[in-house]
Amino acid sequence: RRIQGDASGAFSEPASASTPPDPAGLDAPVAAAYPTTAANKSTAQWRVYTDVARDLSSRGDLEAAGVYLRRALAEARAGFGEEDPHVAAARNNLAELYRLQRRFDEAEKLYAVAAAALEKHYGPSHPAAGAAVHNLAGCKLSRGDFAGAYRAYAAAAAKKKKALGANHPDYAATLFHMAEAKRAGGDHAAAATLLEESVRVLDASGQGESAVACRRMERLAQAQGDLNGDHAAAEATRRRVLEAREHAARVAGAFSNVVEPSATSGEARTTRPNLKNLKHLKPETTTEKTRLGFVGAAAAAAHGGAVASAAEAHAATLAELGRWDEAVSASRRAVEVHEARVETHLGSVASDGFGARVAAGAFASFAAALARARGFFEAFFDAGADA
């Protein structure tokens, strides 16, 4: 949520703005070059005080961090001048601290002043102005002002659309936050429409199968099915998430090779993983396992977990539609992926000292996920039999 500077001196909120607030996020803005008139003691103090505040906030001492951020703001005003973007960034940092402390009135005032200053300096359609208004909207959302948050996000979206274009990921991010404001306010139909548009923008920008897009689509599926009762639309969305997760796992080579019959000769042949037929998943040779190592096992765990979670969610939606055979198949797939994760991990940690030290914790995590997936499978099998 902090305002960051890029190489051109422009400011924008970080890519992780949609994640929960992190006290370690306070940071000093970095400009392309300081004004020649600002190379003085105050600008040096501004930098030191901001860095100290960042360190204190990362250790959870927000009260002490606030002392240094207020000093940083005073030094920025003295060193750069009241209208300089560095001052707006210093206000934004202090506002973010106040938001974390739930001092919402003080935070909103600082956010608003910073946004106005950036609009005046860069122009109303500059990404910096959009980012500042986006931060103000986030503060309103945190305090429960859902209507005010939506209006502020909508204003930020308009600025970003004009500055960056209708197919830019930053514009998609603000559309997502507009949807969150509508969802929090109970307007679930509008939330689903905005989420669909956010996903469309990511598709147009070439990020339609990214991890961010998958998370947005899962949010969309929740709105479609759980909130609006349109389980058919939710099933299509979750099927797309599952396909994207499977594709990412195949590209990363997350699992061992698969042995399956040749389509022509009936002889066994080795292919890349076919996650739609995981009952044939086999561990690689001991040599391949050793080569995989702990890092490779961690990658397999991450991709496998994403695939299994997507399969579980897809199974739940299929069950809502009464498509029991498909629900059981999707749940079985989740079980098999978790089992493959366990095999891959156990085969790789034996020769890796660091991996061996954390194997117990990782295996416990896998086991919990496997138990959950097996519970899905058994529940769907029983429900399908009853039906």
Side-chain angles (χ1 to χ4, degrees), residues 128-200:
V133 177
H134 182 109
N135 289 339
L136 173 61
C139 184
K140 291 179 179 294
L141 187 62
S142 294
R143 75 182 307 172
D145 181 5
F146 306 132
Y150 176 79
R151 289 192 295 269
Y153 279 132
K159 295 177 188 298
K160 290 185 177 183
K161 186 176 182 180
K162 185 174 181 179
L164 304 171
N167 295 327
H168 195 281
D170 280 359
Y171 175 56
T174 302
L175 288 172
F176 168 77
H177 284 85
M178 290 169 65
E180 289 294 282
K182 284 293 187 183
R183 176 189 175 111
D187 192 345
H188 301 143
T193 299
L194 287 163
L195 286 166
E196 288 173 355
E197 180 64 9
S198 180
V199 171
R200 184 204 65 76

Side-chain angles (χ1 to χ4, degrees), residues 214-231:
C214 286
R215 290 193 294 271
R216 301 257 174 92
M217 286 188 283
E218 182 55 38
R219 198 70 161 169
L220 171 59
Q222 291 174 352
Q224 291 169 327
D226 299 344
L227 301 179
N228 294 328
D230 188 352
H231 296 293

Side-chain angles (χ1 to χ4, degrees), residues 255 278-279 281 283 304 308 332-346 363 366-367 369-371 373-374:
F255 292 108
L278 281 173
K279 64 182 180 180
L281 192 64
R332 180 185 292 114
R333 189 187 318 177
V335 172
E336 290 167 344
V337 172
H338 283 309
E339 288 175 341
R341 294 169 68 203
V342 172
E343 283 190 22
T344 302
H345 184 80
L346 291 180
F363 184 82
F366 294 167
L370 182 57
R374 283 177 171 154

Side-chain angles (χ1 to χ4, degrees), residues 317-379:
T317 303
L318 289 166
E320 290 285 353
L321 294 169
R323 293 160 59 177
W324 296 107
D325 289 345
E326 294 171 87
V328 170
S329 177
S331 187
R332 180 185 292 114
R333 189 187 318 177
V335 172
E336 290 167 344
V337 172
H338 283 309
E339 288 175 341
R341 294 169 68 203
V342 172
E343 283 190 22
T344 302
H345 184 80
L346 291 180
S348 64
V349 297
S351 61
D352 190 308
F354 177 70
R357 287 195 295 273
V358 300
F363 184 82
S365 175
F366 294 167
L370 182 57
R372 184 182 67 250
R374 283 177 171 154
F376 271 106
F377 174 75
E378 291 167 1

